[in-house]
Amino acid sequence: MTKKILRVLNGEAVWPPPVWLMRQAGRFLPEYRAVRAQTKGFMDLCTTPELACEVTMQPVRRFGMDAAILFSDILVLPWALGQDLTFAEGEGPILPPIRTREQIEALDVAGVRAAIAPVLETVRQVRAALNKREEEGEGQATLIGFAGSPFTVACYMIEGGGSKEFAHVRAMAHGEPELFELLMEKIIAGTITYLSAQVLSGAEALMLFDSWSGILSPNLFRKHVIGATARIVAKLRERFPKTPIIGFPRLAGLMLGEYAEKTSVQGVAIDTSAEPSIAASMIPAHIALQGNLDPLAVVAGGAALEAEAASILNALKGRPHIFNLGHGILPQTNPDHVKALVEQIKNA
Ligand code: CP3
């Protein structure tokens, strides 16, 4: 029997919709924090396949999620290209900012394959663990591999970490377009290598996280979000025609319809700000929607959570829909609220 998420990404409206949550493997789970405490740091966890497999499986076992999302990070690609990466406790990622031609030329696309070997081993182990669960009658879950979209990855590489405005990035994209495009070309090539290797190792669907796509002007959005995503999707489709791709152009707003049509993704993840039925009207009917519960509603729990989830279910009933959040789950979330949410969806 084909897995629910793969049916939905094939254009089928499955009821009740399958469910998983962005960042479902993470700090809101005590069992994640226990594994994390055994490691020297976040990157150590990402590059130790047995532990990365364990934390990938935790939310699948605890809540019966319909997907396992590979435990890794979108910043593994810059790291694999040779940019230093550290995660300071409680502060997020820190990278030495890349702003010059010399720095961009030094990024090593050919080195990606060797650097990502431990992540690929995690993919193989997770797929084996999922197959075993299925054989033992414990349920099916789809293994989703992922990468950041080139624009969002470029944001962190150029800015050197998180930012509210990404002013250096937007200034470079407008003011030094050749330099910016040189960097984008390297990221696009690295992303194709990285995602292809994940499929060959056992990923059944892929997701491209474009967390910062919404900060671009429409012209640059067309070029660096739609254009870059379309190129990656076309290349992967040629190599792996059966592996569906979900795009997450966060805060794309009025550009959502054009993104859905021109990138050829099979699924569009919508953020918390998107009104589900309006988003649905902007997206061709055969393309699946994923989303879009406010992560803070899950923090709140109770009747407020139930009402928000019910309105999304109703708005997207009859459409191919994968229930999810509109952004990643927050570390302060009570796991019991997640349990109640998943039960509500499964009993809808
Ligand atoms: O459960 C999962 O979703 C799987 C793994 C995953 C992580 N990050 C693990 C992680 C995925 C899919 C991501 C995506 C990611 N990473 C995005 C795109 C989605 C989004 O949230 O917008 C972005 C922008 C990043 C970059 C990143 N990684 C930041 C800004 C931070 C620091 C902030 C934070 O949430 O801690 C990270 C660290 C990170 N990535 C953690 C986890 C579980 C926490 C680190 C820890 O455990 O110490």
Side-chain angles (χ1 to χ4, degrees):
M1 197 177 69
T2 309
K3 296 181 179 182
K4 274 191 193 171
I5 287 186
L6 298 176
R7 284 165 56 199
V8 173
L9 290 170
N10 206 26
E12 192 185 328
V14 173
W15 187 263
V19 54
W20 68 280
L21 304 182
M22 288 194 273
R23 295 281 191 104
Q24 65 186 20
R27 287 165 298 182
F28 83 106
L29 288 176
E31 59 267 36
Y32 170 83
R33 293 196 298 270
V35 173
R36 175 76 169 76
Q38 297 169 33
T39 65
K40 290 197 277 300
F42 178 69
M43 283 306 287
D44 189 30
L45 178 49
C46 289
T47 53
T48 308
E50 290 70 26
L51 298 183
C53 174
E54 165 57 23
V55 297
T56 303
M57 292 302 293
Q58 285 172 348
V60 178
R61 289 198 298 256
R62 191 196 258 249
F63 306 111
M65 297 293 188
D66 290 298
I69 176 122
L70 166 68
F71 189 83
S72 180
D73 196 85
I74 66 162
L75 300 178
V76 163
L77 182 66
W79 169 83
L81 286 164
Q83 191 175 16
D84 275 343
L85 170 64
T86 52
F87 283 88
E89 210 57 60
E91 271 183 53
I94 301 172
L95 309 97
I98 288 190
R99 313 252 167 99
T100 67
R101 182 170 293 273
E102 294 67 40
Q103 285 175 308
I104 297 171
E105 279 170 355
L107 295 168
D108 180 17
V109 176
V112 167
R113 213 170 281 277
I116 61 174
V119 179
L120 303 179
E121 177 55 23
T122 305
V123 175
R124 285 189 285 271
Q125 290 189 15
V126 173
R127 186 64 189 277
L130 291 174
N131 289 347
K132 185 158 173 278
R133 263 181 71 84
E134 192 175 344
E135 277 159 26
E136 291 173 357
E138 286 164 350
Q140 288 182 323
T142 302
L143 173 49
I144 303 181
F146 75 94
S149 289
F151 175 67
T152 287
V153 172
C155 280
Y156 287 93
M157 293 178 82
I158 295 168
E159 210 74 34
S163 162
K164 283 205 181 104
E165 291 270 321
F166 289 100
H168 286 103
V169 180
R170 287 149 70 203
M172 191 198 282
H174 284 289
E176 295 175 283
E178 282 168 27
L179 201 57
F180 187 77
E181 279 161 33
L182 188 65
L183 176 60
M184 287 290 284
E185 286 303 318
K186 290 216 163 183
I187 300 172
I188 290 169
T191 304
I192 292 168
T193 300
Y194 187 34
L195 290 175
S196 297
Q198 290 183 38
V199 175
L200 292 172
S201 302
E204 301 171 280
L206 297 170
M207 178 152 166
L208 281 164
F209 287 87
D210 219 341
S211 307
W212 299 105
S213 68
I215 67 174
L216 282 173
S217 69
N219 288 329
L220 292 191
F221 184 98
R222 282 195 178 99
K223 192 164 188 175
H224 300 307
V225 174
I226 295 179
T229 304
R231 279 175 60 196
I232 293 172
V233 172
K235 186 50 103 179
L236 289 163
R237 183 77 39 82
E238 185 187 306
R239 287 185 187 162
F240 312 105
K242 293 209 172 102
T243 308
I245 302 172
I246 304 166
F248 179 36
R250 197 169 74 91
L251 301 175
L254 298 175
M255 300 300 285
L256 205 56
E258 196 172 322
Y259 176 93
E261 275 173 42
K262 297 207 172 138
T263 59
S264 291
V265 290
Q266 285 91 341
V268 176
I270 54 175
D271 62 71
T272 303
S273 72
E275 207 286 324
S277 33
I278 298 177
S281 72
M282 291 166 89
I283 293 174
H286 65 281
I287 298 180
L289 282 99
Q290 179 175 282
N292 72 337
L293 181 69
D294 187 348
L296 270 312
V298 194
V299 172
L305 169 59
E306 207 176 307
E308 285 283 328
S311 85
I312 294 166
L313 283 170
N314 287 337
L316 297 176
K317 196 167 185 176
R319 287 279 307 221
H321 175 212
I322 300 167
F323 195 95
N324 205 313
L325 304 180
H327 203 187
I329 194 163
L330 294 161
Q332 68 269 36
T333 308
N334 180 341
D336 291 340
H337 297 179
V338 174
K339 186 165 184 277
L341 170 66
V342 173
E343 277 168 15
Q344 180 185 350
I345 311 300
K346 290 191 186 278
N347 295 322

